[in-house]
Amino acid sequence: MQEDKPTGGDVNAVIQIAEEKKKQQRDSWSSRLSSLAVTRSKSEFAAIFEYFAPRVKSYIMRLGMPLATAEEVTQEAMLSVWRKCHLFDSAKASASTWIFTLARNQCIDRLRREKAVEYEIPEEEPDPDQRDMAEHSILEERMQIAIATLPEAQAQVLHLSYYEGKSHSEIAEQLGIPLGSVKSRLRLAFSKLKAHWGEEE
C-alpha cells in the first residue's frame, strides 16, 4: 500500500527536472539546426521534422487554418527549414522560435495566394512555447497540485505523458512495465484528477 501514498515532493522534484530538461532540449535543437546548415544531413533533418512537424501543424491550426490546409502548410514550412537552415542564427532566436516564424510566414503566403479574407493572422505571434506557458499557467499550477495527490506510479506515467509527450509504448519501454499497465495507470490518474478538479469547482 506504500505505492498509494501521495508523493508531492517527489513529483515537484520531477517537474523541476523536467523544466531543466526542456531548456536543454531547446538548446539541443538549436545546435542540431545549426549543424544541419553545415552537414545537410538527411537523417538530422528527419529528426527535426519528426519533432517539430506535429507541433507546427497544431500551431497553424490555432491560427485558424483547417486541418487539410494546416497539413499542407506544415509540409511547406518544414521544407523551408531544410532550404533556409543556413539562415538560422542561434544567437538571435531558438530553433523553435525560428521554425514557428517560418510557419507563420507560410500561413501568410498561403492566405495571400488564395486571397482569403476570412482569416486574419495576428500582427505578432510569440514563440508558441512561451505563449503556451502563458495561456496555461493557471492550469499548470492546478495540474501540479493535483498530481501531487496521486500515487507515485500514477504520477510517474502522467508526468511522462503530459510533460514529456511520450507515447504509451515509449512509457512502457522506459519503465519496463506492460503497455496495459501504462494505460490503466493513466486512466486512474485522469479519473482522480477529474474528481479533484470537480471538488474544487
Side-chain angles (χ1 to χ4, degrees), residues 8-176:
D10 291 342
V11 172
N12 289 335
V14 170
I15 292 172
Q16 205 168 20
I17 292 172
E19 290 303 317
E20 179 61 28
K21 183 177 179 181
K22 286 181 181 179
K23 181 182 182 301
Q24 293 174 354
Q25 189 177 51
R26 285 194 293 270
D27 293 342
S28 172
W29 285 118
S30 293
S31 296
R32 296 179 76 167
L33 188 56
S34 296
S35 174
L36 178 65
V38 177
T39 64
R40 304 300 291 171
S41 167
K42 291 184 179 179
S43 60
E44 189 75 81
F45 176 69
I48 293 173
F49 185 96
E50 182 179 0
Y51 180 81
F52 281 102
R55 292 163 172 78
V56 167
K57 185 174 76 171
S58 296
Y59 165 65
I60 292 171
M61 291 178 67
R62 286 198 295 269
L63 293 180
M65 290 283 188
L67 176 60
T69 305
E71 290 176 344
E72 292 178 6
V73 175
T74 296
Q75 295 293 326
E76 294 170 0
M78 296 310 296
L79 184 58
S80 290
V81 172
W82 169 258
R83 291 174 173 169
K84 299 181 179 181
C85 57
H86 64 284
L87 299 175
F88 171 66
D89 184 353
S90 60
K92 295 181 178 179
S94 67
S96 63
T97 298
W98 188 77
I99 290 173
F100 284 113
T101 298
L102 285 181
R104 179 177 178 275
N105 291 341
Q106 287 292 335
C107 287
I108 294 173
D109 290 344
R110 170 60 69 95
L111 295 179
R112 285 173 177 168
R113 287 200 305 269
E114 297 180 352
K115 297 181 180 179
V117 296
E118 63 268 29
Y119 298 120
E120 184 175 343
I121 303 297
E123 185 64 28
E124 292 186 5
E125 183 67 28
D127 181 349
D129 286 345
Q130 299 299 322
R131 188 201 61 247
D132 288 345
M133 289 175 63
E135 286 182 353
H136 300 295
S137 58
I138 297 177
L139 176 61
E140 189 77 8
E141 182 179 356
R142 292 184 67 195
M143 177 67 81
Q144 291 183 21
I145 294 172
I147 289 177
T149 69
L150 296 175
E152 182 177 2
Q154 294 173 21
Q156 188 177 36
V157 295
L158 187 63
H159 167 76
L160 291 172
S161 176
Y162 181 80
Y163 287 96
E164 298 190 19
K166 293 184 180 294
S167 67
H168 293 177
S169 57
E170 288 174 333
I171 296 172
E173 183 177 355
Q174 178 173 332
L175 299 182

